[in-house]
Amino acid sequence: MSEVKVGIIGLGNMGTSHANQIFKGNVQGAVLTAVCDERPERVDWAYETFGSDVQVFSSLDDFFDNENIDAVIIATPHYDHPKLAIKAFESGLHVLSEKPAGVYTKNVRQMNEAAEKSGKVFSMMFNQRTNPLYQKVRELISSGELGEIKRTNWIITNWYRSQSYYDSGGWRATWAGEGGGVMINQSPHQLDLWQWTTGLMPTRVRAFSGFGKYHDIEVEDDVTAYVEYENGATGLFVTSTGEAPGTNRFEVAGDRGKLVVEDNKLTFWRLRQSEREFNREYKGGFGEPECWKIDIPVHGKSTEHIGILRNWVDAILHGADLLAPGEEGIKSLAISNAVYLSSWTDDWVDMPIDEDLYYDKLQEKIKESKYEKPEVEQVTLDVSGTH
Amino acid sequence: MSEVKVGIIGLGNMGTSHANQIFKGNVQGAVLTAVCDERPERVDWAYETFGSDVQVFSSLDDFFDNENIDAVIIATPHYDHPKLAIKAFESGLHVLSEKPAGVYTKNVRQMNEAAEKSGKVFSMMFNQRTNPLYQKVRELISSGELGEIKRTNWIITNWYRSQSYYDSGGWRATWAGEGGGVMINQSPHQLDLWQWTTGLMPTRVRAFSGFGKYHDIEVEDDVTAYVEYENGATGLFVTSTGEAPGTNRFEVAGDRGKLVVEDNKLTFWRLRQSEREFNREYKGGFGEPECWKIDIPVHGKSTEHIGILRNWVDAILHGADLLAPGEEGIKSLAISNAVYLSSWTDDWVDMPIDEDLYYDKLQEKIKESKYEKPEVEQVTLDVSGTH
């Protein structure tokens, strides 16, 4: 194979952006051959924009029946990701799915099984893994520089959204349409990086969510999650779409100091001696280990969505290692599911979660939903500069 | 009265420091006339240091019986603060108590009643209230600049203590001796500032504590507390004595932006428009209110312990307003008590707390304590540069 024929399902905000990138030739080795969207206005837009070079479908069956695709980008609402990925794997296609992996881990697990069975290349649009800052955090932790982790603390409240954002699509911020709010739509990137950089998955979760706290929506727009890890470390994850200007500050404390990512900088306060060792050996009462504040050099730039697109195509064509293997999408989703379960039950949730319980609770939410969106025009928003 | 004759009870780390300051004439209008400590080595130290100018007592009864004091500084272990303050008020003396106000609110309430009945000047050693940074935070909130508060988030993990610190006194870090760990010894300052600057007391608390997590002690050395306020805002308070170098970062998000105190700087991200108003009026989907990052000018310096000493003496002599009225000590202690109760019961705690329940649980802890300190020499540590 010298080039990958790519089809895209879903021409919403993200799918439209990916389609444009590939169509313009910005992803070497990839050619856009087909798009699919059931909405007439998006079909019209695709015809107008791509002309006869790209097949435009409004039916999924027709899209999957056509022979002219090797690989599929799934950019539909969240619920459909696993179902469509499974269909794609069964059709022998490579898959790149938008985040989150899905809404509940039960069918994401099935998706992962289908991926494994197919042997196809499966990636997830965790574009923030292309950010060299977080790659460096991961490297400093996995190489042992930070030592055993004691605490993680991510304040990621800079996902500000106004009511008009929520009103821009009927599916947005509903249990039936999205399956959640800030945890399922905005924060999956950080939920992914939280476990990817540290290599730690929580063993239990206690979370507190505000549902429709700052907006006229039924899902959560404000979350505080406390977690515990197997090694005894604890963690916090705080997110909201109701604060402006918000904060994005990720701190990881370890036995050899602490790392902080904030304002696009990575700072390492490095202890010359292990704290645990100092604690045992020091006899002076007040005092602490010598500490060096280090501005960690970070090279390269965040290649974002196009970086993931290129990596996926490179993996298909040349067997490159995936930066964001699709199978890993279940990790951040499992944390997210646990946060909902804990908030709903007002109790601890052990991980791995009870997948059936989560699924059932979510169905209840959908069933009990009395939420009716005000009459709004569905619009495709320009996502330049967003995630 | 032209000068205040001050007696000091307890010549441990803090009492020794206060005694030296007053003896050296650093607190105008105050003269050190008496000190009291039951430990022979501290009595010897006092004789050697102060000579015949200061009466040295090893018995509390003798100390209170002497006519040569107008005012008392209480710098004993925490448990004794309320009892001694009540005795002092009943003896017609003004009182300055070291923090915390006590260990449980039940007898702190009695102390406050005795203070009110006496009409004497009662202050608490919340020396960090003298820090102009926090005074400015308080002013920006009370004046309405920040708008309605949405979230408070204090990471105060820079209370590093090594095992040798805990081993420096048999009473340290025991239920019977201190009644707690980082919440009762190191964090009372921030617990005070947390509610003093924001004007908000939690309505309920859910906390998670590690007991003896980083040290060979029976009390907590690691705490994460989540709180909710009456206006719907939420808050976090994270503290530890097991992390180096630790963090001291206080963030308050409000309707008009956010304040952050870190690295001895106060930054105000100020929205030109109320976020709540923007949320209702903006129609553009993605977008947020215009925000100005402002380095808030902060004048003056933190006068710390001596500032509180001087203010207390000034209040006694000239009726100055107290920066840290003693009666307010119960507020931070009540939060602290709630954090313990929540951690022990692994459940929510509504505020005001059930004072009897807390007292009973604490007695259980004391009773069940199997903790025996290793044989250590009790030492008086130099507290210069600590709090």
Side-chain angles (χ1 to χ4, degrees):
Chain A
M1 199 189 292
S2 66
E3 66 176 17
V4 182
K5 287 177 273 187
V6 177
I8 297 183
I9 308 175
L11 293 174
N13 299 340
M14 297 315 308
T16 299
S17 170
H18 303 329
N20 280 325
Q21 291 286 14
I22 298 175
F23 185 71
K24 287 175 190 165
N26 291 336
V27 182
Q28 205 185 355
V31 57
L32 185 70
T33 55
V35 294
C36 180
D37 198 303
E38 63 186 6
R39 294 168 294 183
E41 70 279 11
R42 298 312 294 154
V43 167
D44 292 347
W45 173 87
Y47 275 121
E48 279 164 34
T49 309
F50 304 130
S52 58
D53 297 337
V54 176
Q55 287 180 276
V56 180
F57 297 94
S58 57
S59 142
L60 276 169
D61 287 339
D62 294 344
F63 174 85
F64 278 113
D65 278 346
N66 104 80
E67 302 281 307
N68 204 27
I69 46 176
D70 306 312
V72 173
I73 296 174
I74 298 168
T76 60
H78 322 316
Y79 272 110
D80 295 334
H81 297 173
K83 183 177 66 187
L84 293 172
I86 291 169
K87 173 84 177 156
F89 290 127
E90 287 171 355
S91 308
L93 304 171
H94 306 287
V95 172
L96 173 61
S97 173
E98 263 297 333
K99 55 83 196 168
V103 174
Y104 45 95
T105 52
K106 204 173 161 167
N107 64 352
V108 168
R109 194 171 300 284
Q110 293 161 351
M111 171 175 77
N112 285 356
E113 286 161 7
E116 197 186 351
K117 201 171 155 193
S118 77
K120 295 294 166 183
V121 175
F122 179 29
S123 186
M124 193 69 55
M125 186 51 86
F126 287 129
N127 47 292
Q128 296 201 12
R129 287 197 187 186
T130 69
N131 189 330
L133 277 167
Y134 297 109
Q135 293 177 349
K136 200 74 185 180
V137 170
R138 186 169 192 255
E139 190 267 310
L140 290 174
I141 291 170
S142 64
S143 65
E145 282 286 352
L146 186 64
E148 178 101 18
I149 289 175
K150 294 176 176 176
R151 187 191 312 281
T152 67
N153 192 335
W154 204 325
I155 308 173
I156 173 68
T157 51
N158 69 347
W159 285 123
Y160 184 71
R161 296 291 184 266
S162 67
Q163 187 62 42
S164 63
Y165 162 83
Y166 290 110
D167 293 345
S168 71
W171 64 291
R172 279 197 197 284
T174 61
W175 294 118
E178 282 206 87
V182 65
M183 289 302 284
I184 206 78
N185 186 310
Q186 284 80 26
S187 291
H189 291 300
Q190 285 77 32
L191 289 174
D192 176 58
L193 295 176
W194 192 22
Q195 55 78 25
W196 183 66
T197 55
T198 59
L200 294 179
M201 279 290 283
T203 51
R204 62 175 190 159
V205 173
R206 186 67 178 87
F208 314 92
S209 301
F211 298 91
K213 181 171 180 176
Y214 293 115
H215 305 92
D216 185 16
I217 55 176
E218 64 184 6
V219 297
E220 84 293 352
D221 50 10
D222 189 65
V223 172
T224 302
Y226 168 80
V227 303
E228 294 177 353
Y229 301 106
E230 197 166 7
N231 71 346
T234 67
L236 277 172
F237 190 89
V238 178
T239 191
S240 176
T241 59
E243 291 176 27
T247 292
N248 182 0
R249 182 182 185 279
F250 182 34
E251 173 175 320
V252 189
D255 182 43
R256 302 294 299 231
K258 70 170 176 179
L259 296 171
V260 175
V261 179
E262 191 173 12
D263 296 330
N264 290 312
K265 277 183 304 213
L266 169 56
T267 310
F268 181 19
W269 282 263
R270 181 181 182 274
L271 302 183
R272 285 187 74 183
Q273 183 185 6
S274 145
E275 182 283 318
R276 296 286 70 199
E277 197 178 281
F278 179 90
N279 178 63
R280 282 190 303 273
E281 296 174 359
Y282 181 69
K283 298 298 170 207
F286 292 107
E288 48 190 289
E290 184 178 330
C291 177
W292 298 346
K293 183 181 174 185
I294 302 167
D295 298 324
I296 294 290
V298 175
H299 301 295
K301 59 175 194 164
S302 199
T303 54
E304 295 294 341
H305 303 94
I306 201 150
I308 295 290
L309 287 170
R310 287 172 180 164
N311 174 244
W312 176 58
V313 169
D314 199 20
I316 295 169
L317 290 177
H318 312 111
D321 285 338
L322 285 174
L323 184 59
E327 291 82 355
E328 295 182 9
I330 201 169
K331 294 184 179 181
S332 44
L333 185 65
I335 300 174
S336 171
N337 283 188
V339 165
Y340 284 106
L341 256 185
S342 175
S343 301
W344 290 336
T345 60
D346 193 17
D347 204 351
W348 287 104
V349 168
D350 290 326
M351 295 194 75
I353 65 160
D354 180 336
E355 296 187 349
D356 291 320
L357 179 64
Y358 176 77
Y359 180 79
D360 292 345
K361 290 266 176 201
L362 177 62
Q363 300 314 307
E364 273 175 38
K365 293 287 163 192
I366 293 170
K367 211 167 157 186
E368 290 165 7
S369 171
K370 291 193 176 56
Y371 200 79
E372 287 182 44
K373 283 267 178 174
E375 277 301 315
V376 290
E377 192 185 350
Q378 178 131 337
V379 291
T380 302
L381 300 171
D382 179 4
V383 295
S384 332
T386 75
H387 309 282
Chain B
M1 200 188 296
S2 66
E3 66 178 16
V4 182
K5 287 176 274 186
V6 177
I8 297 183
I9 308 176
L11 292 174
N13 300 340
M14 298 314 307
T16 299
S17 171
H18 303 328
N20 280 325
Q21 291 286 14
I22 298 175
F23 184 72
K24 289 176 188 163
N26 291 336
V27 182
Q28 207 185 355
V31 59
L32 185 69
T33 55
V35 294
C36 181
D37 198 302
E38 63 186 6
R39 295 167 294 181
E41 71 279 12
R42 299 312 295 154
V43 167
D44 291 347
W45 173 87
Y47 276 121
E48 279 165 34
T49 309
F50 304 130
S52 58
D53 297 337
V54 176
Q55 285 179 277
V56 180
F57 298 94
S58 56
S59 142
L60 276 170
D61 287 340
D62 294 345
F63 174 85
F64 279 112
D65 278 346
N66 102 82
E67 301 283 307
N68 204 28
I69 46 175
D70 306 313
V72 173
I73 296 174
I74 298 167
T76 60
H78 322 317
Y79 272 109
D80 295 333
H81 296 173
K83 183 178 66 185
L84 293 171
I86 290 170
K87 173 81 176 157
F89 289 127
E90 287 172 354
S91 308
L93 304 171
H94 306 286
V95 172
L96 173 62
S97 173
E98 263 297 333
K99 55 83 195 166
V103 174
Y104 46 94
T105 52
K106 203 174 162 168
N107 64 351
V108 169
R109 194 171 300 284
Q110 292 161 352
M111 172 176 76
N112 284 356
E113 285 161 8
E116 196 186 352
K117 202 171 155 194
S118 77
K120 294 295 165 182
V121 175
F122 179 29
S123 185
M124 193 68 55
M125 186 50 88
F126 287 130
N127 48 291
Q128 296 202 11
R129 287 197 187 185
T130 68
N131 189 330
L133 278 167
Y134 296 109
Q135 293 177 350
K136 199 73 185 179
V137 170
R138 186 168 192 255
E139 191 266 311
L140 290 174
I141 291 170
S142 64
S143 65
E145 281 285 353
L146 186 64
E148 177 100 18
I149 290 175
K150 294 176 176 178
R151 187 192 313 281
T152 68
N153 192 336
W154 204 325
I155 308 173
I156 172 67
T157 50
N158 69 347
W159 286 122
Y160 184 70
R161 295 292 184 265
S162 66
Q163 187 63 41
S164 63
Y165 162 84
Y166 290 109
D167 293 345
S168 71
W171 64 291
R172 279 195 197 286
T174 60
W175 294 117
E178 283 206 88
V182 64
M183 289 302 283
I184 206 78
N185 185 312
Q186 284 79 27
S187 291
H189 291 299
Q190 285 76 33
L191 290 173
D192 178 57
L193 295 176
W194 192 22
Q195 54 78 26
W196 183 65
T197 56
T198 58
L200 295 178
M201 278 291 284
T203 51
R204 60 175 191 159
V205 174
R206 187 70 178 87
F208 314 92
S209 301
F211 299 91
K213 179 170 181 178
Y214 293 115
H215 305 92
D216 185 15
I217 54 175
E218 64 184 5
V219 298
E220 84 292 351
D221 50 9
D222 190 67
V223 171
T224 301
Y226 168 80
V227 303
E228 294 177 354
Y229 301 105
E230 197 167 7
N231 73 343
T234 67
L236 277 172
F237 191 89
V238 178
T239 190
S240 176
T241 60
E243 292 176 26
T247 292
N248 183 0
R249 183 181 186 279
F250 181 34
E251 173 175 320
V252 189
D255 182 42
R256 303 293 299 230
K258 71 170 175 177
L259 297 171
V260 175
V261 180
E262 192 174 13
D263 296 331
N264 290 312
K265 278 184 301 211
L266 170 56
T267 310
F268 181 20
W269 282 263
R270 181 181 182 274
L271 302 182
R272 285 187 75 183
Q273 183 185 7
S274 144
E275 182 281 319
R276 296 285 72 201
E277 198 178 280
F278 179 90
N279 178 64
R280 283 190 302 273
E281 295 175 0
Y282 182 69
K283 299 297 169 207
F286 292 106
E288 48 190 292
E290 183 177 331
C291 177
W292 298 346
K293 183 180 174 185
I294 302 167
D295 297 324
I296 294 291
V298 175
H299 300 296
K301 59 175 194 162
S302 199
T303 54
E304 295 295 341
H305 302 93
I306 200 146
I308 296 290
L309 287 170
R310 287 173 179 161
N311 173 245
W312 175 58
V313 168
D314 199 20
I316 296 169
L317 289 177
H318 312 112
D321 285 339
L322 285 174
L323 184 59
E327 291 82 355
E328 294 183 9
I330 201 168
K331 294 185 180 179
S332 44
L333 185 65
I335 300 174
S336 170
N337 283 187
V339 165
Y340 285 106
L341 257 185
S342 174
S343 301
W344 290 335
T345 60
D346 194 16
D347 204 353
W348 287 104
V349 168
D350 290 325
M351 294 194 73
I353 64 160
D354 180 336
E355 297 188 349
D356 291 320
L357 178 65
Y358 175 77
Y359 181 79
D360 292 345
K361 290 264 176 200
L362 177 62
Q363 299 315 307
E364 274 175 36
K365 293 288 164 192
I366 294 169
K367 210 167 157 188
E368 291 165 5
S369 171
K370 291 190 178 60
Y371 200 79
E372 288 181 44
K373 283 266 177 171
E375 277 301 315
V376 289
E377 194 186 348
Q378 179 130 336
V379 292
T380 302
L381 300 170
D382 178 5
V383 295
S384 334
T386 75
H387 310 281

